[in-house]
Structures are given as structure tokens and as C-alpha cells.
Amino acid sequence: MAHRQRTRRTAVERETVDFGVAELLQDPDRPRAWTLLIDGTPQSHVDLDDPGHLEFEYVRRLGHVVDLAAPPGRPLRVLHLGGGALTLARYVAATRPRSGQQVVEIDAALVDLVRRRLPLERTSRIRVRTGDARQVLSRAPEEAFDLLVADVFAAGRTPAHLTSVEFVTAAARALRPDGLYAANVADGAPLAFARGQVATVLAVFPYACLIAEPAVLRGRRFGNVVLVGARRELPIAVLTRLTASDPFSARVVHGEELTRFAAGAAPVTDADAQASPEPPPDLFGPRT
């Protein structure tokens, strides 16, 4: 969630799902592209003709992480916590054929809607499971995945139990030694939540970086921060070039600068975890 979107969209379907009202809005510039909203909050954009197209800024940044997780074209084992319309899973399937992917989505009715209206390619090898992200993660085998993406929102907020050291430790356990952890975090001034999440990731992974627009980092705008953690050095130079060339360019913060960003923030534990801040009511503009 939390991104800018074009305004020329027309609602084509509304359906009550388990955790709200889902809307599918057709993209006027792409004949088979759709935006999924839940209770008015944009969740996903999918182009059925071009799954390699990533519309939302933060999803483009997660796409860069996918691109750098392994040499080009090499299949990956990926665990997606949070499903939406399966945008990133479709991207992995398109850019890395034969990848084995598991998507965890708590809203069974939403999964059914996406399968009916935005069907997957039969060769995609994407398996969708319904359930709580942390519960499913706790049962994942050790060192099973090359990439784990945490992108779970409920009413526009990341649930508290997916923000702690215990949660990130469980994610690290499920990753292979050279695997990557990537999390989508939404925050605004004074960025206390984002700083706590950086401290949390650094408590588990020896290498980390964040990717965000300068306006978000300065607290001038509520928006998305993508956090990446690993047990190996990250390809910072390449990631910096990729994010700088995006339509909405972003900065990559790492090393001592990342340590300074998180200065004074303590790692979050299950005992003190809180959901991410609620987005401003006017963030996504007027309802359709």
C-alpha cells in the first residue's frame, strides 16, 4: 500500500471479501491491467498481458531485489507473506521461469476473487495458501527459500506480530545462507516505526539497507520504505543505480548512514510490538 496512482480509473467490480470490500479498477492505459483496492486502499496492480510491468513504486523496488537475488533468469524459491493480486509472484514467474513460489494470504475470499478475475498462468508454479503469515512461517522448513518478501497490511497497517525480532528471526531461519529478506514498511514523520524496523532487521541480519524516496526519508510525505536484510553483502552499487533510474527515484541507505538513521531506536520484540502507523485519510485521494 501507500503509493501514488493515476486518477483515470473506473470501478468495474466491488465484492465483499473476508476482511473488507475489494474493488477491481481497470487501467485505461493497459487493456488487461487492473488495480486491486481493499476498503479504498490500493493493494496491487496487475497487467495480465505483461506481468513484468510493475506500476507501484515500492513494488518496483521489490522487483529490483528480485532481480539481484541471483544471476538473471535463475529460478528462485520464494515465500511471499501477503498476497493481494500476486503482482510480485507473477513478476518472479515471468522473469525467472521455473521458480517455485509460495504465497500466504489470510483472506480466502480475496484469493478466490483474484483467481477468478485475475487468473494465473498455468505454468507459473505459484502456490497460494490461506492462513496467518506468521503461523505459516513458523512451520516453514529451515533454509528453504532464496527470498522472503513480507508485505502484509490489514486496514492499511502492518500487523504488530509481523514487526518483531522474533518474526524476523523466523524469516531468517527459513532463508538459505545467501537468501534475502525484504519487507515493505509504511511510515511518515517522525519515522519512529521505520527506525524501529531498521533496528529490528539489524538485530537479526549483519547486512541491511533501506530504499525510499528522499521526501519519505525526510518525513515530508507518508510512504513506503523497503527494508532488505541478508547474511551476505548486498549489491548496493547496482541497487542504487536501479532505484535512481525509476520514474520516482529513490535512495538506498546502508552502512554507517543506516546505523545513524536507526540511532536511538531499539529492536522491536513481541512484548512491545505495535502495528504500523495508520496512513493519512487523504493519502489515496477521493474514492471512486
Side-chain angles (χ1 to χ4, degrees):
M1 54 79 63
H3 61 276
R4 286 162 290 204
Q5 61 172 339
R6 292 170 291 182
T7 57
R8 294 186 299 112
R9 301 185 190 272
T10 303
V12 297
E13 180 172 329
R14 287 185 175 88
E15 185 170 314
T16 300
V17 290
D18 293 337
F19 291 89
V21 176
E23 296 173 277
L24 283 175
L25 309 181
Q26 188 169 19
D27 188 326
D29 299 322
R30 292 175 170 265
R32 296 187 70 222
W34 310 85
T35 297
L36 169 70
L37 297 88
I38 304 295
D39 291 336
T41 300
Q43 297 287 332
S44 308
H45 179 279
V46 168
D47 188 337
L48 296 178
D49 288 333
D50 182 11
H53 173 76
L54 300 178
E55 176 85 2
F56 295 170
E57 301 102 88
Y58 86 87
V59 182
R60 289 183 61 85
R61 290 158 200 158
L62 289 171
H64 296 324
V65 176
V66 170
D67 295 342
L68 299 176
R74 197 187 87 181
L76 296 175
R77 289 279 298 166
V78 186
L79 176 61
H80 303 263
L81 302 180
L86 313 177
T87 305
L88 197 64
R90 297 172 198 263
Y91 178 81
V92 173
T95 60
R96 296 180 177 274
R98 304 186 310 282
S99 292
Q101 301 187 77
Q102 182 178 144
V103 180
V104 182
E105 170 59 56
I106 198 170
D107 194 320
L110 176 60
V111 170
D112 180 67
L113 171 64
V114 170
R115 282 175 169 158
R116 283 187 284 109
R117 291 301 310 270
L118 306 173
L120 291 165
E121 294 287 339
R122 292 190 178 184
T123 59
S124 65
R125 299 184 65 180
I126 298 170
R127 179 188 176 196
V128 183
R129 297 183 58 180
T130 56
D132 176 81
R134 181 141 174 200
Q135 290 180 4
V136 174
L137 177 60
S138 69
R139 299 191 295 270
E142 286 190 51
E143 299 186 2
F145 299 100
D146 301 296
L147 174 64
L148 190 152
V149 179
D151 187 14
V152 180
F153 285 85
R157 307 174 71 185
T158 302
H161 69 302
L162 306 181
T163 68
S164 67
V165 167
E166 292 89 343
F167 167 72
V168 179
T169 298
R173 173 184 169 276
L175 285 170
R176 293 171 178 168
D178 62 347
L180 298 181
Y181 169 79
N184 176 33
V185 173
D187 200 6
L191 297 176
F193 180 79
R195 296 178 200 279
Q197 289 304 289
V198 170
T200 300
V201 170
L202 286 172
V204 177
F205 291 104
Y207 300 97
C209 71
L210 68 79
I211 312 166
E213 289 184 51
V216 174
L217 290 173
R218 296 189 187 107
R220 295 177 181 173
R221 187 175 72 83
F222 191 98
N224 295 80
V225 174
V226 171
L227 297 181
V228 184
R231 299 185 186 94
R232 61 175 170 95
E233 289 193 35
L234 297 168
I236 297 297
V238 180
L239 189 58
T240 298
R241 288 197 298 270
L242 290 172
T243 57
S245 64
D246 277 341
F248 292 100
S249 62
R251 288 188 57 221
V252 178
V253 180
H254 65 102
E256 293 184 2
E257 187 180 6
L258 186 65
T259 302
R260 290 195 298 271
F261 177 86
V268 176
T269 67
D270 281 342
D272 56 22
Q274 297 183 7
S276 64
E278 188 171 354
D282 59 347
L283 181 64
F284 307 113
R287 293 291 305 277
T288 301

